[in-house]
Amino acid sequence: MNSKLTQILYLIILIVLGAVLVIYPGDTLTIGVKVLGAGLLISAIVAIVSLLIRKDQIEMAVFPWVGAVVTAIAGLVVLLNPELVISVFPIIAGAGILLYGASGLFKAMNYRKGGFGGWKMALVFALITILFGILIVANPFKTATIIVRLIGIILMYNSVSGIWFRIAFK
């Protein structure tokens, strides 16, 4: 197979993956989080086994054991509660966006006090940022599925444009 054909086939696979993300965002998120949990658990098991195999005193330190056990617990939590994990990330992101918006609000008020002309636009941006933060915190799972769908759309767009470039510019 030539390189161009291989690239086009790869891009077609990415289009299919993008379509799966758009059509099944919740299932895709859940599967992705479960894979993450399994990876954490496997990593912890490998770490524990390697600690048990080694006999030297340095490896008997508490920290590597604590790290392996915490990783194993995190893996189990992620595997057993993927929806909880999925909903926590947008809440944290939403809280961060809210704080950023509040900071922008205070800056806009300081700009107003300082007589800067752009304070109204800074106020609008801050309020929109706060609104986005509230929307994310109010419905974290919906936010996560929207983000997955956007990733799918972007993946399909990039792949279609990549195929076009490979065909158009031989």
Side-chain angles (χ1 to χ4, degrees):
M1 250 184 185
N2 69 24
S3 176
K4 185 181 206 178
L5 183 59
T6 303
Q7 291 173 357
I8 290 173
L9 289 174
Y10 173 73
L11 292 168
I12 289 170
I13 291 169
L14 290 179
I15 291 170
V16 172
L17 177 62
V20 168
L21 293 174
V22 170
I23 296 168
Y24 305 108
D27 293 336
T28 307
L29 264 174
T30 303
I31 290 168
V33 168
K34 285 182 178 181
V35 168
L36 171 68
L40 288 171
L41 196 54
I42 290 168
S43 171
I45 291 169
V46 168
I48 290 170
V49 168
S50 70
L51 287 169
L52 289 172
I53 291 173
R54 294 184 182 191
K55 302 286 185 204
D56 53 349
Q57 292 295 331
I58 296 172
E59 292 302 323
M60 296 310 290
V62 174
F63 186 72
W65 285 96
V66 171
V69 170
V70 168
T71 302
I73 292 169
L76 284 173
V77 168
V78 171
L79 274 173
L80 298 175
N81 300 306
E83 287 78 20
L84 173 70
V85 174
I86 290 167
S87 66
V88 168
F89 288 122
I91 290 172
I92 293 169
I97 291 169
L98 275 170
L99 289 173
Y100 186 77
S103 170
L105 189 63
F106 287 114
K107 286 179 185 176
M109 293 298 107
N110 284 334
Y111 293 157
R112 181 176 173 235
K113 287 179 187 175
F116 294 106
W119 73 270
K120 290 179 184 175
M121 200 61 182
L123 178 66
V124 169
F125 287 143
L127 292 174
I128 291 172
T129 302
I130 290 170
L131 178 65
F132 283 147
I134 290 170
L135 289 172
I136 291 170
V137 170
N139 199 346
F141 192 75
K142 185 80 168 172
T143 301
T145 58
I146 289 170
I147 291 169
V148 170
R149 280 193 170 125
L150 283 173
I151 291 169
I153 290 168
I154 292 166
L155 194 58
M156 288 188 305
Y157 167 79
N158 282 338
S159 298
V160 168
S161 66
I163 290 171
W164 183 83
F165 277 109
R166 277 157 187 81
I167 291 171
F169 300 103
K170 300 178 185 181

